Amino acid sequence: MKLLLLQQEVEQLKEEVGKQLDGGFAGKGQLGKQLQKLDVYNEKHRLVKLRQRVHLVKNKLDSKRDRHAQLEQHLKDRKRSQLDGNAQGIEEVVAEETLGMRMLSQVLQRNQSVLFAELCQWFRIEKCDEESSSNLSAYTIWEMPIANLKYTNEMEPEKLILSMQYVQQYISFSLNIWLFEGTSDVPITNDQSIIQNYSQLIYNTLRLLRARNLVSESVSIRDILIRYDLDGMLYHFSRNIFLSSLDDASNAYPPTLQNIKLLVTSMIPSI
């Protein structure tokens, strides 16, 4: 009898543990929150390690470029002074340095691409299925509709700010990967101007698109916002897809933060 009761207790305990684990991996309950935090920590740690590798290669490449420039200048000086005795030897060294730079540049580009792919996978920027679309955005970041000008008024304020915060984090990492710079933007909070938030996010997204040659040099900012909005721009950037748009021959809206702010003010629904 005691053995039977013990078996029942063990089975009940196994069932309870199973439920906790199932709920945890589904993101529910205290265990779920702990697992999510652990997942975010592990992913962020991996991104940081990858970013360190990218910067290490970039530093080596910068050092090679400096060395190459010094050798070329030295070679020019020797030829100018007609001291050609060692010119051939220097030319060979310059050729070797050029080859080394080319190889390092290729390694850097590969590492950047790997890191960026990891970043996009982590933030899970996806295009919604028509059936699952929330009608607030055709795209999601961390399974949340991406903030966009068109549906600003229809998003709950808390979710709008949270979406903007996710986008800001994604852009900050991307700037570090592709432009090797951080961002001095003030972290987005509830008490900030929505127009200012949008303007800064759009401005930095355009910088990234230009750096990756995903928009034309004379792109019309107004046209690209009408066609894609912020969410579409981010999705195309994450997939490395060129954004076709009209050119702005008059350059009426150069991509400065102030001009983008004027555009956003004129395009965003009344808030």
Side-chain angles (χ1 to χ4, degrees), residues 51-189:
R51 186 172 59 183
Q52 289 173 346
R53 280 167 44 197
V54 170
H55 280 264
L56 181 62
V57 175
K58 180 183 181 294
N59 290 338
K60 289 182 179 179
L61 182 58
D62 288 342
S63 178
K64 281 278 187 185
R65 283 175 176 156
D66 291 342
R67 170 69 173 160
H68 184 267
Q70 291 172 2
L71 286 170
E72 282 196 322
Q73 185 60 48
H74 186 53
L75 182 60
K76 289 178 182 178
D77 292 343
R78 292 190 69 86
K79 286 184 175 180
R80 193 177 297 119
S81 61
Q82 296 182 344
L83 297 175
D84 298 332
N86 293 327
Q88 184 176 356
I90 296 176
E91 287 177 347
E92 291 175 356
V93 175
V94 170
E96 290 177 2
E97 291 290 331
T98 301
L99 179 60
M101 278 198 311
R102 189 177 299 119
M103 293 175 65
L104 272 176
S105 181
Q106 292 172 352
V107 171
L108 176 61
Q109 290 173 9
R110 284 198 301 270
N111 284 353
Q112 284 176 298
S113 297
V114 169
L115 179 53
F116 186 63
E118 290 266 359
L119 180 72
C120 294
Q121 184 178 7
W122 185 35
F123 276 90
R124 301 197 294 275
I125 297 179
E126 303 289 347
K127 187 172 185 177
C128 302
D129 297 330
E130 291 186 7
E131 295 180 357
S132 62
S133 176
S134 65
N135 295 323
L136 296 177
S137 173
Y139 311 98
T140 58
I141 181 169
W142 270 341
E143 300 181 355
M144 174 174 290
I146 298 179
N148 58 82
L149 298 174
K150 186 176 181 180
Y151 293 110
T152 293
N153 285 341
E154 298 182 30
M155 289 187 73
E156 296 177 20
E158 294 79 8
K159 290 186 177 180
L160 176 63
I161 294 299
L162 186 59
S163 177
M164 285 183 163
Q165 289 171 340
Y166 288 163
V167 169
Q168 187 179 49
Q169 292 173 26
Y170 174 74
I171 288 175
S172 178
F173 270 110
S174 298
L175 286 170
N176 202 276
I177 293 169
W178 295 116
L179 299 179
F180 299 101
E181 62 181 61
T183 174
S184 58
D185 300 346
V186 177
I188 291 175
T189 59

Side-chain angles (χ1 to χ4, degrees), residues 195-249:
I195 290 176
Q196 177 63 31
N197 292 340
Y198 269 122
S199 301
Q200 190 65 62
L201 295 176
I202 290 169
Y203 173 73
N204 282 328
T205 301
L206 281 168
R207 291 181 62 212
L208 288 165
L209 289 169
R210 283 176 172 269
R212 300 291 295 139
N213 297 316
L214 297 177
V215 291
S216 66
E217 286 295 321
S218 56
V219 61
S220 166
I221 309 303
R222 178 183 290 277
D223 182 63
I224 209 168
L225 283 174
I226 291 173
R227 292 189 188 211
Y228 300 98
D229 212 321
L230 175 61
D231 52 352
M233 291 163 63
L234 285 168
Y235 176 79
H236 282 69
F237 170 67
S238 71
R239 295 298 191 273
N240 201 39
I241 301 173
F242 186 83
L243 287 79
S244 58
S245 64
L246 298 176
D247 286 342
D248 186 6

